[in-house]
Amino acid sequence: MSDAMVQQLFTQGSLFDLQTVIDYGQSVINVAQELAKVLTDNRPLSTKTVSSQMNRYFLGTAASGAWQWKDAYEAVEVAQILYLRQKGYKLLLESPLTVLLELQKLVALCPTHTRRSEESVQLQQFSTPLPLAYLVAKAGFVQATDLVLEPSAGTGLLAQMAKLRGASLMLNELAPDRSKILRRLFPGTPLFGINAEQINDYLAGKTQPSVVLMNPPFSASPKINSRNPDATKRHINSALQRLADGGRLVTITANWFSPNNPTWRETFVRWHSEARVLMSVGVNGKVYSKHGTTIDTRITVIDKVPADSSEIPCITETLDLPEILALIEQLPQRSSWERSEKVKAAAKAIVVQLPKRTTVVQPETVSSLPDDLIVLEYEVIEWTASEGLKDTLYETYRPQRIRIKDALPHPSLLCESAALALVSPPAPTYKPHLPSNIITQGLLSEAQLESVIYAGQAHCEFLSGSYIVDDSWDNVTVAAQGEENAVRFRRGWLLENSKVFYPLKITLASYLR
């Protein structure tokens, strides 16, 4: 093939798309390095400058789809981190108020986030503004001997504040693109990509941080489309469990997540019974103005030590950052904590690995049962269709393929669509093992027992194909035949009739506790 033909194929994109060979994380870093030069010169970052550098390193424009403005804003945040690496160590030698004011001036040079991606909205990716990150790290009293966990690391603004103080880091970030940035920005640092609502369960062994700095999603959970207000509580719960005894947790939350809010009062009381809530104070929303919002937030500080009183300090008002700085400077020093060898070896931190699994094609035969359990016997009968589709929308329902001796009919009228009544149900073979009084006392009706049988029948069988589940247990991909650690999934079964389902659920739950 001639050079001309190769060049033609290359320019036409027939061999490969240039976008596929771009290293996203490195490209963001490259843009950030150019933007950091502007910030170092104390010059404002215009959107034109940002756009020009993004076009350069992403080999195309936003209009062509080469990059999104969310990517550009990530690069601006990384530029702030690079600025800190150049001037931050010297800056921290100044008085805390001077540091705070200088960081506010730095942020003022950056463009406002005015455009959001679907991912940023869905995962509520509001990074911590640099001045607020400084206060959070200061409230954590971070020292060079600390191991700091950031469960929702974002672009690393909080993590960098801890690193300026010489601490070791453990980072977690669920969003793949942000993880690529963090891997380039903090090479050699343990980095996980799991749902931080269960971070204590995912992290294995005795690796425990002495400080947790966090800014979790306020009301968003992965793979849940609707608003989930419990998300904040779950993030803090799990991080607090992972925190070493005597350690300190500092978190940013929505302002409504307050011990003075009756909805969350019990949550804070429960934490305070096992740890000590040192401070809860509202933050004026203008600190987030450069991030495209003015939502009020709240800083909460918790020490993992026994509480010395039942009082939970809480300031309901939203304060400006200098006022919050004054409060932080009044916080008590952190308690001593035991730094084990496993904590020192932060790089050895791992996540729970998915074990190799084997599948059982047939259920195991039970030779004997406890006295209070019986095998539910039933008769499979022939199915006969009705006279055809009628004018009515619904038909009266009762089990059509099985008859269970001594089972009582359902106490209320059940129905199914007239069209569904013309479909033959499968003939089941699964026989559940149930407490005898479920039938003798009529705790479950004939229709509810049919539901148990069909559910068991489904769970005895597998869906076609095999799959690989990643370490987070959230992401599933199709596995090649014979691939190691491949798993199969059992069939599911759905019951939509509330008159059958809810009594069935309550009755069975009492036996399965």
Side-chain angles (χ1 to χ4, degrees), residues 356-359 466-469 479-480 482-488:
K356 186 173 182 178
R357 302 174 184 174
T358 57
T359 56
S466 298
Y467 303 87
I468 295 293
V469 184
E483 188 170 350
E484 187 179 4
N485 277 348
V487 298
R488 298 180 66 193

Side-chain angles (χ1 to χ4, degrees), residues 418-433:
L420 194 58
L422 296 175
V423 179
S424 171
T429 58
Y430 173 78
K431 295 183 178 180
H433 304 147

Side-chain angles (χ1 to χ4, degrees), residues 107-161:
V107 171
L109 295 175
C110 299
T112 301
H113 299 194
T114 56
R115 298 166 237 194
R116 303 205 178 280
S117 68
E118 290 184 8
E119 180 187 43
S120 64
V121 173
Q122 183 178 0
L123 298 180
Q124 294 183 347
Q125 293 178 327
F126 291 93
S127 297
T128 310
L130 208 53
L132 188 57
Y134 169 69
L135 292 187
V136 169
K138 187 165 182 61
F141 282 49
V142 178
Q143 305 165 28
T145 54
D146 281 317
L147 172 61
V148 177
L149 168 65
E150 221 290 50
S152 302
T155 53
L157 290 165
L158 269 175
Q160 182 59 43
M161 281 298 175

Side-chain angles (χ1 to χ4, degrees), residues 275-295:
R276 180 170 59 179
V277 180
L278 296 176
M279 184 180 77
S280 176
V281 57
V283 182
N284 192 309
K286 66 183 181 182
V287 70
Y288 267 94
S289 60
K290 279 292 182 177
H291 288 252
T293 182
T294 54
I295 183 174

